Amino acid sequence: MSWMPRDNKRKSVLPKNPTVRQLRNFSRDPIVRKAITIVQDSLARQPYTIDVIGGRGKKIREIAAVQNCIEHPNLVDSRSSFTKRLLDDAMVLDAMCAEVAKARSTKHPVYLYPVDGSTIQMVVPYDYTDDNAVRYMQQQEDGMKYFTAKDIAYMQRSYFTYQPYGLSPIMMAYQYVRFYLDSIEQANEKATNATAEFLISLGEGINSEQREKFIEYMKNDIEGTGRIPVVAGSKSVETKQIKAINSDGLYLQWLEKLTQIVGVAFGIPPEKLGLVIANDRSTGEDQENAMTQELIKPYAAMMEDLYNNYVIANMGLGGVLKFRYIFEDSEMQKSVKSKRVVDEYYKGVLTENEVRRIMGYEESTSDYANMTYPEKTANINVDLGIAGGFNGNGNIKDTTNTEGGDSNEKDKD
């Protein structure tokens, strides 16, 4: 790839290997921050439900306690502020951390406190066979404090076998975005520099008086008027460009190129970041769906694991209740889903009530609703006494000598 030309003596805006502080500062860049904010705002207000698994009753009190823990995770945060705090570290450091504290109250049995993910260190090696083994440590004012895997919820999006820490989207894009910030700095420097774009040479034989007269002429009669300067004399007037006069010279095209890279790292359409014009044929709905699938849902899964593994499980309700976010399907997804479900119904894979549940409708009370389509057809044929099918084709069943039947009636074609 051909990179933007640069002066080797010029100091880079961002260092090659960033520290945690520099990474956090970088996350405040407007382009990156917008990508982070999209996820934060979405999940902070995303509707959710707490399902009862396996028909174990309504569990009204238990669900109310779980909701209380989620809506008020600690004495300071609401669900919205708690979610935003955790997601910031999740996307900046790939380290979404919360301290878990049990309480005696049945109405609020678990408290969750956000923790700076950069302060948590892994204990290596770790005894995976002992539930009470020390897993994490944190340097505090009174010394090093140790935590078990039950005390600290440490959630990541990416995992490796060769190191315990993950890789955030900001880290993935960092080296590319470093060039992007350099281009902004350089473009700003060039755009705001007061140096003239051209150097004018009046040629040889011009004395100081003639030079001053030409300066006055340019200043009083040409600058700001839009007129083309015309001069006379035996000496030619030469010009030399000494500064960029178009966007190519300012390297502003790198804004679009590197904004696209940020979008790829986060899994978000680059035009959502505000600096890139869409150049594909995707509809707005397609883009929203892609952003939901590639950016929002992976972090939603991390929050779901947090509540299921550290709130519901700590209440002794693991396998009984399950927290999940509710994502509405797009119209295209609904159409595809509907067609697939209906096809499976007619092929005898699903019953009518299974179809209704999948599509979000209330279950039917029909006697045939829990049968597959072939079973339903066969039972209706029997119940209605139709030999050749319930569409009215075929022979009508002989009802001779049956209650209500006509003894003189014969089988009709």
Side-chain angles (χ1 to χ4, degrees):
M1 179 177 288
S2 176
W3 297 106
M4 180 186 71
R6 60 187 66 249
D7 184 355
N8 292 332
K9 295 181 180 180
R10 185 173 177 274
K11 186 177 180 180
S12 176
V13 176
L14 289 177
K16 185 176 182 180
N17 297 309
T19 63
V20 171
R21 181 177 180 180
Q22 290 166 338
L23 207 58
R24 291 194 187 280
N25 289 337
F26 169 64
S27 73
R28 293 183 175 89
D29 176 81
I31 304 300
V32 181
R33 179 50 51 177
K34 184 167 185 179
I36 294 174
T37 302
I38 287 174
V39 182
Q40 289 177 319
D41 290 343
S42 175
L43 292 183
R45 63 176 184 267
Q46 188 73 26
Y48 66 89
T49 184
I50 300 172
D51 298 324
V52 180
I53 302 174
R56 299 171 182 258
K58 294 184 178 181
K59 302 293 181 181
I60 296 175
R61 292 182 180 179
E62 292 84 350
I63 290 176
V66 174
Q67 287 178 326
N68 195 24
C69 294
I70 292 172
E71 295 297 330
H72 309 282
N74 55 63
L75 300 178
V76 177
D77 288 304
S78 64
R79 176 170 80 98
S80 177
S81 62
F82 178 75
T83 300
K84 290 182 177 181
R85 292 180 198 274
L86 292 191
L87 289 175
D88 190 82
D89 271 7
M91 285 178 280
V92 176
L93 306 173
D94 198 26
M96 188 176 79
C97 299
E99 185 174 356
V100 183
K102 291 186 177 181
R104 295 180 179 178
S105 172
T106 57
K107 295 182 179 180
H108 202 303
V110 179
Y111 284 89
L112 299 173
Y113 295 90
V115 178
D116 181 353
S118 66
T119 65
I120 299 298
Q121 298 174 283
M122 303 282 188
V123 176
V124 180
Y126 168 66
D127 187 356
Y128 292 92
T129 62
D130 185 1
D131 292 340
N132 297 315
V134 174
R135 175 57 173 160
Y136 307 105
M137 57 185 180
Q138 183 186 47
Q139 183 65 48
Q140 300 183 358
E141 292 183 359
D142 56 348
M144 189 69 74
K145 187 173 182 180
Y146 297 89
F147 304 90
T148 68
K150 296 180 180 179
D151 300 324
I152 291 288
Y154 191 100
M155 318 298 294
Q156 298 170 256
R157 183 177 175 181
S158 58
Y159 293 89
F160 304 101
T161 58
Y162 54 88
Q163 69 174 18
Y165 301 102
L167 186 64
S168 69
I170 290 183
M171 283 296 296
M172 288 189 288
Y174 187 86
Q175 293 299 330
Y176 292 105
V177 179
R178 184 163 60 93
F179 290 119
Y180 151 64
L181 292 179
D182 281 349
S183 70
I184 290 181
E185 185 73 14
Q186 189 167 350
N188 180 67
E189 184 179 302
K190 288 180 175 294
T192 58
N193 197 320
T195 305
E197 285 80 9
F198 289 91
L199 177 68
I200 300 177
S201 173
L202 298 179
E204 298 178 358
I206 299 298
N207 56 38
S208 297
E209 182 180 356
Q210 291 173 320
R211 174 180 172 275
E212 292 297 329
K213 287 183 178 181
F214 186 82
I215 292 175
E216 289 296 321
Y217 165 69
M218 289 290 297
K219 180 178 180 181
N220 298 328
D221 297 341
I222 301 301
E223 290 183 359
T225 66
R227 294 194 295 267
I228 299 176
V230 179
V231 296
S234 58
K235 301 294 183 180
S236 61
V237 177
E238 298 180 359
T239 62
K240 300 291 183 181
Q241 182 179 338
I242 61 174
K243 183 180 178 181
I245 60 174
N246 54 38
S247 61
D248 291 338
L250 297 176
Y251 311 117
L252 292 178
Q253 68 272 25
W254 281 88
L255 292 176
E256 293 190 5
K257 178 64 176 178
L258 298 175
T259 300
Q260 291 172 347
I261 295 173
V262 175
V264 170
F266 275 88
I268 180 174
E271 50 268 25
K272 293 292 183 181
L273 301 178
L275 293 180
V276 177
I277 299 175
N279 58 1
D280 60 23
R281 297 183 179 179
S282 299
T283 63
E285 184 179 347
D286 292 336
Q287 292 179 354
E288 291 293 334
N289 181 55
M291 186 170 64
T292 299
Q293 297 295 330
E294 298 180 22
L295 177 62
I296 296 176
K297 281 191 175 181
Y299 290 103
M302 293 171 66
M303 294 298 299
E304 289 172 344
D305 288 343
L306 173 66
Y307 292 132
N308 286 320
N309 296 335
Y310 292 92
V311 175
I312 293 177
N314 275 337
M315 293 172 59
L317 297 171
V320 178
L321 300 180
K322 183 177 182 180
F323 170 93
R324 64 179 176 87
Y325 287 107
I326 300 174
F327 290 95
E328 184 178 355
D329 291 337
S330 66
E331 291 302 319
M332 180 180 295
Q333 289 175 316
K334 289 178 181 178
S335 298
V336 173
K337 181 179 180 180
S338 176
K339 184 179 183 303
R340 176 179 60 82
V341 170
V342 171
D343 286 346
E344 290 179 353
Y345 168 68
Y346 282 115
K347 291 177 181 178
V349 178
L350 300 173
T351 66
E352 179 183 339
N353 272 340
E354 287 175 334
V355 171
R356 297 180 72 88
R357 282 196 296 269
I358 293 173
M359 298 307 298
Y361 300 115
E362 292 184 2
E363 292 189 6
S364 171
T365 58
S366 168
D367 294 337
Y368 311 103
N370 292 314
M371 300 178 183
T372 62
Y373 179 72
E375 292 172 338
K376 176 179 178 179
T377 303
N379 279 273
I380 291 178
N381 287 343
V382 172
D383 293 344
L384 297 183
I386 300 175
F390 68 30
N391 289 323
N393 299 321
N395 297 326
I396 299 176
K397 183 179 180 181
D398 183 6
T399 57
T400 304
N401 297 326
T402 61
E403 184 177 354
D406 185 353
S407 59
N408 295 323
E409 184 176 356
K410 302 296 182 181
D411 290 348
K412 299 179 182 179
D413 292 334

